[in-house]
Amino acid sequence: MGKWREIGNTTVAAMHIVLVRPTKILIIDRAEKNRAMYSDGRYAYSSEYDLTTGRSRTLNLKTNTFCSAGSFFGNGTLINSGGAENISGAQAGFQSVRLFNLCDDGSCDWLDFPSYLEIARWYNTMVTLPDGRVFNIGGSIKATGANDNLANNPTLSGSCTSTRRNP
Ligand SMILES: *[C@@H]1O[C@H](CO)[C@@H](O)[C@H](O)[C@H]1NC(C)=O
Ligand SMILES: *[C@@H]1O[C@H](CO)[C@@H](O)[C@H](O)[C@H]1NC(C)=O
Ligand SMILES: *[C@@H]1O[C@H](CO)[C@@H](O)[C@H](O)[C@H]1NC(C)=O
């Protein structure tokens, strides 16, 4: 079975992890008490961790990413959307769309558009289409212990432009 040992510290708990560069992972938590903090005194809930240097870089979000979903556009930009209620100084994330353009030099950060979706999504699903657009499907219109026909959101949204890098 081998042994597990601690080899790094992402400073933000990893609710979601995605590989954004060959040696970098992007981490998202819900808005809650992580070690990393923003300059305005809020607890941070996203970071980028470098697997070779073991260093993490705090990333800036405005809206709560709990229960959100993500996928990549065909041009490589990461898109994350949906989320949950306003907590810990974060705005509500239900209608948020967040973009992260990949970079190697530590200059990239989230662009967070809090009310971009026309309808709230909590626990949605996102998938990249063959032409590089992204499909955003389902979820509920509010945080709910048990789903029902009032909260259920059986709709889908799509990005409007094709973003395939090599048509
Ligand atoms: C991880 O890093 C944070 C921020 O630098 C620090 O507060 C915390 O003590 C570290 N945790 C461990 C287990 O090293
Ligand atoms: C990729 O496409 C998306 C959706 O059209 C756009 O928002 C984003 O800025 C594009 N990324 C780059 C690096 O051009
Ligand atoms: C947070 O959400 C609650 C419940 O919907 C609302 O009453 C309150 O005004 C919101 N607070 C902020 C700062 O947006």
Side-chain angles (χ1 to χ4, degrees), residues 6 8-12 34-37 56:
E6 190 179 297
N9 178 356
T10 60
T11 70
V12 168
N34 282 295
R35 294 285 193 167
M37 299 198 80
S56 77

Side-chain angles (χ1 to χ4, degrees), residues 15-16 28-31 42 45 61-70 80-98 111-124 126 136 138 140-143 153:
M15 184 180 74
H16 296 178
I28 304 171
D29 191 16
R30 62 185 300 203
R42 288 185 302 135
Y45 46 103
L61 282 168
K62 292 183 212 163
T63 60
N64 189 6
T65 38
F66 190 46
C67 318
S68 64
N80 172 282
S81 85
E85 66 279 1
N86 65 7
I87 50 165
S88 305
Q91 296 173 46
F94 295 108
Q95 286 176 264
S96 181
V97 169
R98 312 171 189 91
L111 294 170
D112 193 341
F113 304 97
S115 50
Y116 201 81
L117 289 182
E118 77 284 18
I119 191 163
R121 295 192 185 278
W122 181 83
Y123 278 116
N124 48 321
M126 298 178 76
N136 196 350
S140 303
I141 57 169
K142 60 175 187 174
N153 181 1

Side-chain angles (χ1 to χ4, degrees), residues 18 20 26 71-73 76-80 98-100 102 110:
V18 61
V20 286
L26 183 143
S71 191
F72 285 96
F73 280 119
T77 295
L78 175 67
I79 174 171
N80 172 282
R98 312 171 189 91
L99 297 178
F100 187 82
L102 313 189
W110 286 107

Side-chain angles (χ1 to χ4, degrees), residues 73 75 77 99 101 161 163:
F73 280 119
N75 65 8
T77 295
L99 297 178
N101 289 316
T161 49
T163 54

